[in-house]
Amino acid sequence: MDIIYTIWLRNMIRYMRSKSRIIGSISMPLFFLLFLGFGLNSVVNIPGFGENYIQFLIPGMVAMSVLFTSVFSGIQIIWDKQFGFLKETLVAPVTRLEIMLGQTFGGATTAVIQGIMIMVISLFVGLKVQSVLGFLIALGFMVLIGISFTAFGIAIASRMEDMTGFQLIMNFVIFPIFGLSGALFPISSLPSWLSPITMFDPLTYGVEGIRYGLTGVSQISPVVSLAVIGGFACAMTVIGTFLFKKISI
């Protein structure tokens, strides 16, 4: 546990010292929230939300902030490879599982912090949290999204040596995952041939879980959402650990 905590703490210290990273990670969700939200607020009519498109959009932007922050935290693995820190860590008398879990929890924690920042900002533009329990439910789904996609990013980074290539691959993979998650539009409004595809997107269940917690409205049962995103988090942690153990020194 000491190793996991130490690596987690290292991630947190690096995160707190990187002001540009903090600002950059919330800029895109904030842009979507303000410009897309206010621009379409009086035009879009969504069942359960009426013409309050901003209220519908906020959970998606929270999930977006968590998603992008967690996935790109995997780039630290490549960074540590290039500067030799990872080699020193791997030859230490600790298990690779502990190292991987420390990296995963560190990346997930920073991702959740980013999501909370967007949530706090959203309070000034229309977010009305239903209850303390609802906030805790949303927070739980944010944690699961953070763990899932941090482990996913580490799994990909474990097989790569180039940071630019990692970023290109992540952009290619993550934008479809985000676009099909129902963060920007209700999944019930999709064509019949496209709707089933969204059901294979794990982020869909994370978004709907956060939306249920913050607004009390969801198109998927929160129990189903919890089971799917929780299972995905476990699966990605196992896969990420397996690939991380394959790193050669």
Side-chain angles (χ1 to χ4, degrees):
M1 291 299 294
D2 289 342
I3 299 302
I4 296 175
Y5 171 74
T6 300
I7 296 176
W8 173 86
L9 183 61
R10 173 177 179 260
N11 278 270
M12 295 305 301
I13 292 174
R14 292 188 62 173
Y15 169 75
M16 297 305 297
R17 289 178 176 176
S18 180
K19 302 298 186 295
S20 59
R21 178 183 172 187
I22 297 173
I23 296 173
S25 296
I26 66 173
S27 59
M28 185 178 294
L30 190 59
F31 174 83
F32 273 101
L33 179 61
L34 296 179
F35 292 93
L36 190 62
F38 283 110
L40 298 178
N41 195 48
S42 60
V43 178
V44 179
N45 193 317
I46 298 175
F49 294 88
E51 294 183 354
N52 193 355
Y53 179 59
I54 291 180
Q55 188 77 357
F56 173 85
L57 187 64
I58 287 171
M61 295 303 98
V62 172
M64 178 185 185
S65 180
V66 177
L67 170 70
F68 280 79
T69 304
S70 57
V71 163
F72 284 100
S73 64
I75 203 170
Q76 185 170 311
I77 298 295
I78 300 176
W79 183 275
D80 288 345
K81 281 183 186 178
Q82 294 183 349
F83 286 89
F85 178 82
L86 185 61
K87 182 177 181 179
E88 294 178 2
T89 306
L90 293 178
V91 299
V94 297
T95 65
R96 296 195 178 191
L97 174 62
E98 291 176 307
I99 298 172
M100 193 275 178
L101 289 178
Q103 294 283 8
T104 300
F105 293 152
T109 303
T110 58
V112 171
I113 292 173
Q114 294 286 152
I116 292 175
M117 288 182 184
I118 294 296
M119 197 183 299
V120 171
I121 295 173
S122 300
L123 292 173
F124 299 96
V125 296
L127 174 63
K128 297 178 181 178
V129 181
Q130 301 299 305
S131 63
V132 175
L133 178 60
F135 170 78
L136 294 177
I137 291 173
L139 184 63
F141 277 97
M142 289 163 60
V143 170
L144 290 175
I145 293 173
I147 292 174
S148 299
F149 289 96
T150 300
F152 176 75
I154 291 175
I156 301 298
S158 297
R159 311 306 299 168
M160 301 190 67
E161 303 291 337
D162 179 56
M163 285 188 286
T164 303
F166 175 82
Q167 292 174 327
L168 291 174
I169 291 176
M170 286 296 98
N171 283 327
F172 178 77
V173 173
I174 291 304
F175 275 102
I177 289 176
F178 170 71
L180 291 171
S181 67
L184 303 176
F185 48 78
I187 55 179
S188 59
S189 66
L190 294 173
S192 58
W193 63 270
L194 186 57
S195 183
I197 299 178
T198 64
M199 296 296 100
F200 288 98
D201 184 351
L203 186 62
T204 299
Y205 302 91
V207 170
E208 291 299 321
I210 295 174
R211 186 167 287 135
Y212 175 80
L214 296 182
T215 67
V217 179
S218 176
Q219 297 180 70
I220 301 176
S221 167
V223 176
V224 174
S225 295
L226 179 61
V228 174
I229 193 66
F232 181 71
C234 293
M236 288 313 308
T237 301
V238 171
I239 294 172
T241 301
F242 174 78
L243 293 177
F244 188 79
K245 287 181 178 179
K246 296 291 184 180
I247 295 178
S248 60
I249 56 175

